[in-house]
């Protein structure tokens, strides 16, 4: 026996070449024939379910060129989570942030969601939020077959983030060997039951998926639908803060507030509170479609379609107000039966008291609705040529729309009622107890009004957002031999347009804003706040009251106009990447090295205000970036991988920071007589966050379904976006002040 050299990895010994005698060959043939006959009678073992999902995820992570985390469905439609956000949050180094009771956005390695990039089948995605971070709760987990998180940059990935990139992947029907149908149904029951009238504590969730192949497996079709009806029943308490020695009311009497009496000089006390019972109905319908066409081994074309519609109706009822310092000329509360507990070495905390003379308690009846619509389409065609060449063309479109209504109505007990609370505020994690002597649920005394003196009897906000991305991507790949296994290069052109509109209406009671009782036709069952000691608060039909009892008037334009904006981006990207397949000493080494060249042209359109007059303004800039990247994986003995990654990444600024709108002023110095420009607002000339990073990962694989990994990373932020005073060219702003300014 003599070792020979491996043709794949020169320098490594190949499998030994054995010399077999004719007699041994004949015996081997007989044994092989018997084994084949036995194998034909045995049954095939197919791994499915959660084991299959784990195997698929571990295999994808192991075969990746960079440091990657992967979650895979155990079967079509079988990711168990309400949304893909919760699935992603279970991956190492990822954290989900919950909004309105559901996981919504994702942090990678503890960095802001603004730093992450998100793709669907390799294509950049819009968001229903105000900025760039994708709201993953818009993606039902049943319609996602796999999600990969790239923690290191790759030159061929367009739209990658500074902290990492999430790539959601839908199913590929031609990967299945037969027709597949999956049905899922679940029910949901909220332990809080129904906290508000006309709401439910029960929900449901179901999905259906269909996969099939036609025309001798040259055409594949996949369809999926997922429905979610999820209730939210939430009780929450919020302290408005704590005052103590040197509190503002005493140090700033000009603010017109009254200080409470009966509190020891060194004691800290509760300033105010908010207790709320919130009921939420969330309905989401998602639809996925894939058509795959592969007439031969050289042509492969895929069309991906995705649609999601999400609605939320939220009833918010509670009680809030100040218990300490009283604002607007009111006298302060009077504390008696005060019990304190030492806190630290120099102060005490009021843990129990009778608090009399508490003014302006506000009963809140709010209604919040939201409607989101997300659409995404992509067409990818891949053609193989002779000599190891392959060309890929990809067209994509993504659009997100959001419309909201945030409605507030206010009431209190009577026209001028002061409340006495029996207050207990523990220093432990337990909630306080606040028992009032006034019945805030009594429909014969609670009146709609403006008890806190906010200048309006209600408020109606109507924010809207619209986000659109269009892209074309052209790539080519050449398979090679030697140290560099492949050459990839390509260009991408992406446009993005996002606009946000913030409309507001003040609502005032008819008949001169006189307080009124809620008509019987609009009354609903009171909402209990007994979890905090308050028996209940009055509840009514918010939309019915708005339509019959209030006059609507637009808020002053100068309060909202600068929050409206449009942002436009045109991004051109060119890249080149070399695949690496060689060895380091005795060990195989694989990976890639590449570079991206990115040209960005951005602008924003908005409104500027000067001396109460408004003018349109459009500003912007352009800049270039060169983003190199390197990924290496060293295959060590005993199924151990050592990975190294480094590169430069970027994340563009938040959309609201890039708005063109601004408050501008021209002032004249009374002493010198000179006029100067000033103002505050967004900055469309913002360049992105940029960072250099180094990553290291040691991974030990144990069988097909297990691994142990240790990772370390370093990020060097080369630039950061924050608020500061800067010198600005005001030549684009119209001077409506009437003051002459220097040329």
């Amino acid at each position: 026996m003599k070792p020979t050299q491996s043709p794949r990895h020169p320098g490594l010994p190949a499998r030994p070449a054995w010399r077999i005698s004719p007699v041994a060959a004949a015996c081997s043939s007989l044994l092989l024939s018997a084994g084949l006959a036995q194998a034909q009678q045995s049954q095939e073992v197919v791994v499915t379910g959660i084991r299959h999902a784990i195997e698929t995820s571990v295999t994808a992570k192991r075969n990746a060129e960079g440091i990657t985390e992967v979650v895979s469905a155990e079967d079509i439609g079988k990711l168990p989570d309400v949304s893909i956000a919760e699935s992603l949050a279970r991956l190492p180094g990822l954290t989900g942030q919950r909004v309105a009771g559901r996981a919504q956005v994702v942090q990678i390695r503890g960095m802001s969601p603004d730093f992450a990039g998100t793709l669907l089948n390799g294509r950049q995605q819009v968001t229903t939020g105000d900025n760039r971070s994708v709201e993953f709760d818009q993606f039902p987990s049943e319609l996602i077959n796999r999600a990969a998180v790239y923690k290191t940059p790759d030159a061929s990935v367009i739209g990658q983030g500074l902290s990492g990139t999430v790539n959601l992947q839908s199913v590929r029907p031609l990967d299945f060997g037969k027709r597949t149908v999956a049905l899922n149904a679940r029910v949901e029951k909220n332990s809080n039951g129904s906290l508000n009238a006309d709401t439910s504590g029960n929900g449901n969730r179901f999905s259906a998926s269909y996969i099939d192949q036609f025309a001798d497996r040259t055409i594949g079709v996949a369809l999926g639908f997922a429905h979610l009806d999820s209730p939210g029943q939430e009780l929450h308490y919020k302290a408005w803060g704590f005052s103590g020695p040197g509190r503002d009311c005493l140090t700033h009497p000009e603010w017109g507030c009254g200080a409470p009496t009966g509190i020891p000089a060194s004691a800290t006390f509760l300033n105010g509170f908010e207790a709320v019972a919130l009921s939420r109905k969330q309905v989401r319908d998602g639809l996925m479609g894939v058509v795959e066409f592969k007439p031969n081994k050289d042509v492969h074309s895929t069309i991906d379609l995705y649609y999601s519609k999400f609605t939320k109706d939220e009833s918010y009822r509670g009680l809030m107000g100040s218990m300490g310092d009283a604002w607007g000329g009111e006298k302060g509360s009077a504390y008696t039966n005060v019990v304190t507990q030492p806190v630290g070495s120099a102060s005490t905390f009021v843990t129990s008291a009778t608090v009399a003379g508490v003014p302006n308690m506000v009963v809140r009846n709010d209604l919040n609705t939201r409607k989101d619509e997300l659409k995404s389409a992509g067409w990818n065609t891949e053609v193989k040529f002779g000599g190891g060449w392959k060309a890929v063309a990809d067209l994509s479109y993504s659009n997100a729309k959001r419309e909201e209504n945030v409605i507030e109505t206010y009431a209190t007990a009577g026209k001028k009622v002061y409340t006495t609370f029996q207050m207990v505020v523990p220093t432990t994690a337990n909630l306080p107890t606040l028992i009032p002597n006034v019945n805030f649920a009594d429909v014969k005394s609670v009146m709609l009004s403006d008890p806190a003196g906010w200048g309006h009897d209600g408020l109606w906000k109507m924010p809207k957002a619209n986000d659109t991305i269009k892209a074309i991507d052209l790539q080519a790949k050449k398979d090679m031999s030697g140290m560099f296994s492949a050459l990839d290069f390509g260009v991408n052109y992406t446009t993005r347009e996002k606009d946000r509109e913030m409309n507001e209406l003040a609502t005032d009671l008819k008949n001169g804003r006189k307080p009124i009782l809620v008509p019987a036709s609009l009354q609903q069952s009171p909402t209990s706040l007994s979890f905090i000691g308050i028996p209940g608060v009055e509840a009514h039909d918010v939309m019915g009251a708005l339509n019959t009892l209030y006059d609507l008037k637009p808020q002053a334009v100068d309060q909202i106009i600068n929050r409206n904006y449009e942002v436009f981006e045109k991004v051109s990207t060119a890249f080149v990447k070399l695949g690496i397949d060689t060895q380091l000493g005795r060990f195989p080494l694989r990976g890639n090295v590449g570079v991206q060249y990115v040209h960005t042209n951005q602008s924003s359109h908005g409104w500027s205000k000067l001396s109460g007059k408004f003018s349109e303004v459009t500003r912007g800039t352009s800049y270039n970036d060169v983003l190199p990247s390197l990924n290496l994986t060293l295959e060590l003995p005993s199924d151990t991988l050592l990975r190294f990654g480094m590169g430069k990444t970027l994340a563009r600024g938040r959309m609201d920071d890039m708005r063109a709108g601004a408050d501008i002023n021209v002032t004249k110095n009374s002493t010198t007589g000179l006029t100067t420009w000033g103002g505050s607002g967004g900055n469309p000339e913002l360049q992105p966050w940029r960072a250099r990073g180094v990553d290291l990962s040691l991974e030990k694989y144990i069988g097909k379904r297990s691994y142990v990994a240790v990772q370390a990373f370093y990020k060097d932020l080369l630039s950061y976006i924050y608020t500061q005073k800067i010198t600005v060219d005001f030549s684009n702003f119209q001077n409506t002040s009437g003051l002459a300014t220097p040329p």
Side-chain angles (χ1 to χ4, degrees), residues 287-308:
L287 182 64
M288 174 271 296
V290 181
V291 178
E292 215 176 351
F293 177 56
K294 193 173 183 179
N296 53 58
K297 63 182 181 62
D298 296 326
V299 178
H300 187 192
S301 188
T302 306
I303 296 176
D304 294 289
L305 302 173
Y306 179 81
Y307 175 82
S308 176

Side-chain angles (χ1 to χ4, degrees), residues 189-202 231-234 277-279 526-528:
K189 183 177 178 62
N190 194 290
S191 60
N192 280 330
S194 176
L195 298 179
N196 285 285
D198 299 329
T199 65
S200 173
N202 301 321
Q233 302 290 341
E234 175 186 326
L278 186 149
S279 298
T527 295
S528 172

